[in-house]
Amino acid sequence: MPQEFRNRLRGLQRRLAQSGAGAIVVSHLPNVYYLSGFTGSSGALVVEQRSATLFTDGRYSVQAREQLRSSGVKPRITQSQPLEAAGSFLRGLKHGTKRRTAVLDPNHITLAGRGVLNRAAGVRVRWISSPGWVEEMRAIKSPTEIALIRAAARLISKVFEEIVKIIRPGVMELDLAAEVDYRMRKLGASGPSFETIIASGRRSALPHAQPTTKRLRQNELVVLDMGAILGHYCSDLTRTIYLGCAPRRVKQWHKAVLEAQKAAQEVLAGPHEAGEPDDAARRVLDSFGLGRYFVHSTGHGLGLEIHEEPRLAKGRKQLLMPGMVVTVEPGVYVEGVGGIRIEDDVAIHACRIEVLTTAPRELLEL
Amino acid sequence: MPQEFRNRLRGLQRRLAQSGAGAIVVSHLPNVYYLSGFTGSSGALVVEQRSATLFTDGRYSVQAREQLRSSGVKPRITQSQPLEAAGSFLRGLKHGTKRRTAVLDPNHITLAGRGVLNRAAGVRVRWISSPGWVEEMRAIKSPTEIALIRAAARLISKVFEEIVKIIRPGVMELDLAAEVDYRMRKLGASGPSFETIIASGRRSALPHAQPTTKRLRQNELVVLDMGAILGHYCSDLTRTIYLGCAPRRVKQWHKAVLEAQKAAQEVLAGPHEAGEPDDAARRVLDSFGLGRYFVHSTGHGLGLEIHEEPRLAKGRKQLLMPGMVVTVEPGVYVEGVGGIRIEDDVAIHACRIEVLTTAPRELLEL
């Protein structure tokens, strides 16, 4: 990883040089980690064309020194808030006119943060608002990053296979979620990549249900949506099971969702736009008469964050490229009855895709 | 709780009426929950003087309808992003000149978000940037809220007492963290309120250490910092134990930190500024010659979020008031050797304080 951090920094510095600006302020913490290796909960990174400095507080003085060794970023401990320290630092730089221009990301700086930067940096620093420089880099994963996501995907697949053994009527949704989280940590994850979803019966029709004290019952659908963070990278897996013998209608829904998923995956490799897998999934569900029950988009990039670029959603023009890792997760949700979702993590390679999650996809009837 | 949501909305609407503005846009999700009861991961709330509307996406159509019943907020499902929908809604309002003014919180709206609002709402809506309206309300907890935090604090205290039984040399930090999280969920928590910290040996000198594969060893300090979310409210507890018979130096550090905590607690009730408990804790640590090892502030408010107002930090002028709930958590961190922190959650009542966390505070030698 050390060389990775340096490569990333260098990539950002090249873009900075092309733009002619003297510095970029990076404040979104996953971006700070991506470029520097620092994992603290408070920090701002100033990247200049030939160096980089991280501002953080006294809680992280030892940690910052240790973690930044691999990236070569200089740590600076500050009493003021990191953004203010970053602004003051820029004020002090002896740059030529053009180099006094600094870039900020409008998606990650609040109006208040902008005020702090302005006051601290003073009038001589000219700000350019330019979104997504680091996110664009992050969207294309290196082989090392794909290996980390693969490991996180296999880990969560293993958790699912373990959890299937204890799913039965009478178990509480919350207890099942606790078992999922416990098992992923025992397998080495640092934690769940989002709040584990266990949604049973009619609650399975809520795509983002939080687990409750409801107990599973015979003849119910159960949606399990879980992800693990391993080595800082996220995985995301959904399976739907049926407690008992599934009625024909449920089997038909499951078949439709599985076919929709396959159709979406078929248009991931090759020069496709990010909207096309979504179109493909919707076409299949429409052909089953279920299109109107698919109430969210087909997938999202994943990596250091659980939701990142690209989004596989209607009308997205972004080109899908080798190195991207996305979820493919169509679903149908019938209010008052139940829902089905099947989700896998997929890496896009030059001429093929690789499904990273390995848990069985057929409808389990327990 | 239903009446609480309505009271809160009414409180905000009163402030809105006093300001003369027609609406306020609330986008920070804990604030959205506080006012409406909605727990989805995407939403924007527009509060007008006599009504309130929540904009969210199709994933939450059923959930929004159910959760908003208690607050009386109207749900609106939108295909566009919630902030854009909120802006368009404001554009359509037939208000008098003054009422076409809308308030936004500069701490929670990004530069990009501001652009979205501007474009969607058009030129006829005039924006006022005014921070912290909802946070100010949230800083003063109702008896119902204090009861929820009390329950979360007792729960995490119980987890600590259970976990003490399995702490011994050879156990891995990560495994201990997994056990903490598992136990809190089995006791009813929806999850940890932050990433559980288990920091042993020299790593205990890192105030915000993340648990690693390091195993605990004999004759080491172990800092355990953990919190649970129960009924949406957070708790936060730190204890430090010693594996073996603590050397005199460690006992002295522990005594100093405990006295610093007591001194800080003594200036919580009554008309004090939020900086005073921090001063009191620092004075005690200085008297032990340990002041320079206390590298963070003394505490923070807690409630729906793990860090909220007020901050017990140097120079803070905010007045401490009945209804506030704060952590009190002095510590000493000696690089290369180890650290000690003791943290409790404290509710401020009219004439007294109430320590909500119940785990024993003396130095445990295991």
Side-chain angles (χ1 to χ4, degrees):
Chain A
M1 287 296 281
Q3 198 50 48
E4 292 249 328
F5 289 122
R6 288 174 195 267
N7 291 345
R8 294 168 187 171
L9 262 181
R10 225 170 279 148
L12 186 65
Q13 285 167 331
R14 266 197 301 276
R15 179 148 185 190
L16 196 60
Q18 284 160 11
S19 78
I24 176 168
V25 175
V26 180
S27 60
H28 185 54
L29 291 172
N31 290 347
V32 170
Y33 171 74
Y34 180 77
L35 295 165
S36 73
F38 177 69
T39 61
S41 67
S42 168
L45 180 65
V46 176
V47 178
E48 298 165 87
Q49 289 187 14
R50 292 176 180 280
S51 66
T53 312
L54 176 87
F55 300 89
T56 184
D57 64 70
R59 292 173 300 173
Y60 296 112
S61 56
V62 180
Q63 178 180 329
R65 212 165 51 231
E66 287 175 3
Q67 293 184 325
L68 296 179
R69 215 164 275 151
S70 46
S71 61
V73 171
K74 286 172 282 188
R76 286 257 193 122
I77 303 305
T78 165
Q79 303 275 345
S80 49
Q81 55 160 305
L83 220 47
E84 190 182 335
S88 304
F89 175 78
L90 287 169
R91 178 199 283 264
L93 290 183
K94 302 273 181 292
H95 281 153
T97 324
K98 202 169 178 195
R99 299 280 287 284
R100 279 204 306 270
T101 300
V103 178
L104 54 74
D105 188 326
N107 288 318
H108 299 307
I109 300 284
T110 62
L111 298 174
R114 175 67 194 259
V116 166
L117 279 176
N118 273 349
R119 281 189 296 279
V123 292
R124 296 184 63 225
V125 174
R126 198 171 69 85
W127 293 98
I128 297 179
S129 186
S130 191
W133 287 21
V134 186
E135 275 78 0
E136 279 170 36
M137 296 172 65
R138 282 174 50 198
I140 309 294
K141 273 76 181 173
S142 72
T144 312
E145 288 182 289
I146 292 180
L148 287 166
I149 303 173
R150 186 185 295 117
R154 289 198 180 156
L155 187 152
I156 201 64
S157 302
K158 201 164 164 195
V159 169
F160 175 77
E161 293 187 53
E162 283 184 20
I163 231 59
V164 160
K165 296 177 195 152
I166 61 166
I167 295 179
R168 56 171 181 276
V171 178
M172 201 188 282
E173 288 178 355
L174 271 169
D175 280 341
L176 215 48
E179 296 295 336
V180 167
D181 293 3
Y182 181 67
R183 281 166 167 73
M184 70 174 79
R185 296 193 70 154
K186 293 301 278 187
L187 290 172
S190 59
S193 51
F194 56 90
E195 193 180 337
T196 299
I197 295 173
I198 308 285
S200 61
R202 300 204 302 179
R203 303 194 71 259
S204 61
L206 307 174
H208 265 209
Q210 282 148 323
T212 66
T213 54
K214 179 184 173 306
R215 290 176 190 280
L216 311 192
R217 281 195 293 264
Q218 192 65 21
N219 300 319
E220 274 189 347
L221 282 163
V222 188
V223 171
L224 302 98
D225 189 349
M226 53 184 78
I229 304 175
L230 182 64
H232 302 286
Y233 283 80
C234 300
S235 59
D236 195 351
L237 171 79
T238 308
R239 292 291 184 262
T240 306
I241 61 122
Y242 193 85
L243 285 172
C245 291
R248 227 174 47 202
R249 178 170 69 162
V250 165
K251 284 185 175 164
Q252 184 74 353
W253 290 351
H254 194 276
K255 182 167 180 270
V257 173
L258 201 54
E259 286 189 17
Q261 197 201 33
K262 275 186 205 144
Q265 288 180 1
E266 274 166 20
V267 284
L268 280 179
H272 293 284
E273 291 176 2
E276 290 180 62
D278 190 76
D279 293 341
R282 258 167 239 287
R283 265 197 305 274
V284 171
L285 290 172
D286 279 341
S287 76
F288 279 83
L290 296 170
R292 70 196 165 105
Y293 298 119
F294 179 28
V295 296
H296 54 72
S297 55
T298 295
H300 52 84
L302 87 168
L304 289 174
E305 289 178 277
I306 184 65
H307 294 118
E308 44 181 77
E309 292 302 315
R311 312 279 164 159
L312 305 183
K314 213 179 182 63
R316 290 289 175 124
K317 301 287 180 205
Q318 187 180 1
L319 278 186
L320 297 172
M321 309 254 279
M324 287 181 169
V325 179
V326 294
T327 68
V328 183
E329 49 174 316
V332 299
Y333 309 92
V334 184
E335 192 181 336
V337 182
I340 288 182
R341 181 167 64 256
I342 305 173
E343 175 185 36
D344 285 280
D345 304 339
V346 180
I348 303 176
H349 297 299
C351 312
R352 64 183 179 97
I353 61 163
E354 175 191 2
V355 181
L356 305 173
T357 31
T358 56
R361 251 155 242 111
E362 69 272 22
L363 179 63
L364 287 175
E365 296 170 276
L366 299 176
Chain B
M1 287 297 281
Q3 197 51 49
E4 293 249 328
F5 289 122
R6 288 174 194 268
N7 290 345
R8 293 167 187 171
L9 261 182
R10 225 170 279 148
L12 186 65
Q13 286 167 330
R14 267 197 301 276
R15 180 149 184 188
L16 195 60
Q18 283 159 11
S19 79
I24 176 168
V25 175
V26 180
S27 60
H28 185 52
L29 291 172
N31 290 347
V32 170
Y33 171 74
Y34 181 76
L35 295 165
S36 73
F38 177 69
T39 61
S41 67
S42 168
L45 179 66
V46 175
V47 178
E48 298 164 86
Q49 289 187 15
R50 293 174 181 282
S51 66
T53 312
L54 176 87
F55 300 89
T56 185
D57 64 69
R59 293 172 300 172
Y60 296 112
S61 57
V62 179
Q63 178 180 329
R65 212 165 50 230
E66 286 174 4
Q67 293 184 325
L68 296 178
R69 215 165 274 150
S70 46
S71 61
V73 171
K74 286 172 281 187
R76 286 257 194 122
I77 302 306
T78 164
Q79 303 275 345
S80 48
Q81 57 161 303
L83 220 47
E84 190 182 335
S88 304
F89 175 77
L90 287 169
R91 179 199 282 265
L93 289 182
K94 303 271 182 294
H95 281 153
T97 325
K98 202 169 178 194
R99 298 280 287 287
R100 279 204 305 270
T101 302
V103 177
L104 55 76
D105 188 327
N107 289 317
H108 299 307
I109 300 283
T110 61
L111 297 175
R114 176 65 194 260
V116 167
L117 278 176
N118 273 349
R119 281 190 296 279
V123 292
R124 295 184 64 224
V125 174
R126 198 171 69 86
W127 294 97
I128 297 179
S129 185
S130 191
W133 286 22
V134 186
E135 276 79 359
E136 279 170 36
M137 296 172 65
R138 282 175 49 197
I140 309 293
K141 273 78 180 171
S142 72
T144 311
E145 288 183 288
I146 293 180
L148 287 166
I149 303 173
R150 186 186 293 118
R154 290 198 179 155
L155 186 152
I156 200 65
S157 302
K158 202 164 162 195
V159 169
F160 175 78
E161 293 188 53
E162 283 184 20
I163 230 60
V164 160
K165 295 176 196 155
I166 60 166
I167 296 179
R168 58 173 180 274
V171 178
M172 201 188 282
E173 287 178 356
L174 272 168
D175 280 340
L176 214 48
E179 296 294 336
V180 167
D181 293 3
Y182 180 67
R183 281 167 167 73
M184 70 174 79
R185 296 194 70 155
K186 294 301 278 186
L187 290 171
S190 59
S193 51
F194 56 90
E195 193 180 336
T196 298
I197 296 172
I198 308 286
S200 62
R202 299 202 305 179
R203 303 193 71 259
S204 62
L206 307 175
H208 266 209
Q210 282 148 324
T212 66
T213 53
K214 179 184 173 306
R215 290 176 189 280
L216 311 192
R217 281 195 294 262
Q218 192 65 20
N219 300 319
E220 275 190 347
L221 282 163
V222 187
V223 171
L224 302 98
D225 189 349
M226 53 184 77
I229 304 175
L230 182 65
H232 302 286
Y233 283 80
C234 298
S235 59
D236 194 352
L237 171 79
T238 308
R239 291 292 183 262
T240 306
I241 62 121
Y242 193 85
L243 285 172
C245 291
R248 224 170 54 200
R249 179 171 68 162
V250 165
K251 284 186 175 163
Q252 184 74 352
W253 290 351
H254 194 277
K255 183 167 180 271
V257 173
L258 200 54
E259 286 190 18
Q261 195 199 35
K262 274 186 203 143
Q265 288 180 1
E266 274 166 20
V267 285
L268 281 180
H272 294 283
E273 291 175 1
E276 290 181 62
D278 190 76
D279 293 341
R282 257 166 239 286
R283 266 196 305 275
V284 171
L285 290 171
D286 279 341
S287 76
F288 279 83
L290 296 170
R292 70 196 165 104
Y293 299 119
F294 179 27
V295 296
H296 54 72
S297 56
T298 295
H300 52 83
L302 86 168
L304 290 174
E305 289 178 277
I306 184 66
H307 294 118
E308 43 179 76
E309 291 302 317
R311 313 280 163 158
L312 305 183
K314 213 179 183 61
R316 290 288 175 124
K317 301 288 179 205
Q318 187 180 2
L319 278 185
L320 297 172
M321 310 257 278
M324 288 180 169
V325 179
V326 294
T327 68
V328 183
E329 49 174 315
V332 299
Y333 309 91
V334 184
E335 191 181 336
V337 182
I340 288 182
R341 181 167 64 255
I342 306 172
E343 175 185 35
D344 285 279
D345 304 339
V346 180
I348 304 176
H349 297 299
C351 312
R352 64 184 178 95
I353 62 163
E354 176 192 3
V355 181
L356 305 174
T357 31
T358 57
R361 251 157 241 109
E362 69 271 21
L363 179 62
L364 288 175
E365 297 169 277
L366 299 175

